[in-house]
Amino acid sequence: MFGDISGMMGKLKEAQQKVEETKKRLDTVLVDESSSDNKIKVTLTANRKIKAISIDDSLLNDAEELEDYLIITLNKAIEKASQINENEMAIAAKSGMPNIPGMDMFK
């Protein structure tokens, strides 16, 4: 009725391994984002870890302006990284999942 339980368990373990491999790989995928005038540039991984921030000297005299630039640019970069992360993790999870009737949650 439920098929080969050990086969399904093997597939689940395989899916978990693919997810872990994808997490590691996403640490090497870099996302670059810049403010519209290129005064702020940020780089982060697809796992949303900040790797670099570059700030134009003209922003160093105005803390409020600098904060605004950082918030906007970091949020855009995090959004891009999150989209990449979610797409890649869904693919990894789906690829190793066993075919269980009624459990087609990744469509």
Side-chain angles (χ1 to χ4, degrees), residues 27 29-31 43-52 78 81:
D27 277 333
V29 174
L30 299 179
V31 176
T43 301
L44 53 142
T45 69
N47 281 327
R48 298 170 297 264
K49 303 272 192 248
I50 297 171
K51 295 302 233 178
I78 291 168

Side-chain angles (χ1 to χ4, degrees), residues 9-26:
M9 293 305 289
K11 287 264 191 191
L12 287 172
K13 190 172 278 275
E14 187 180 312
Q16 184 179 19
Q17 183 178 357
K18 286 184 185 229
V19 166
E20 291 303 316
E21 289 170 0
T22 300
K23 284 181 185 177
K24 288 179 184 174
R25 186 176 57 76
L26 290 174

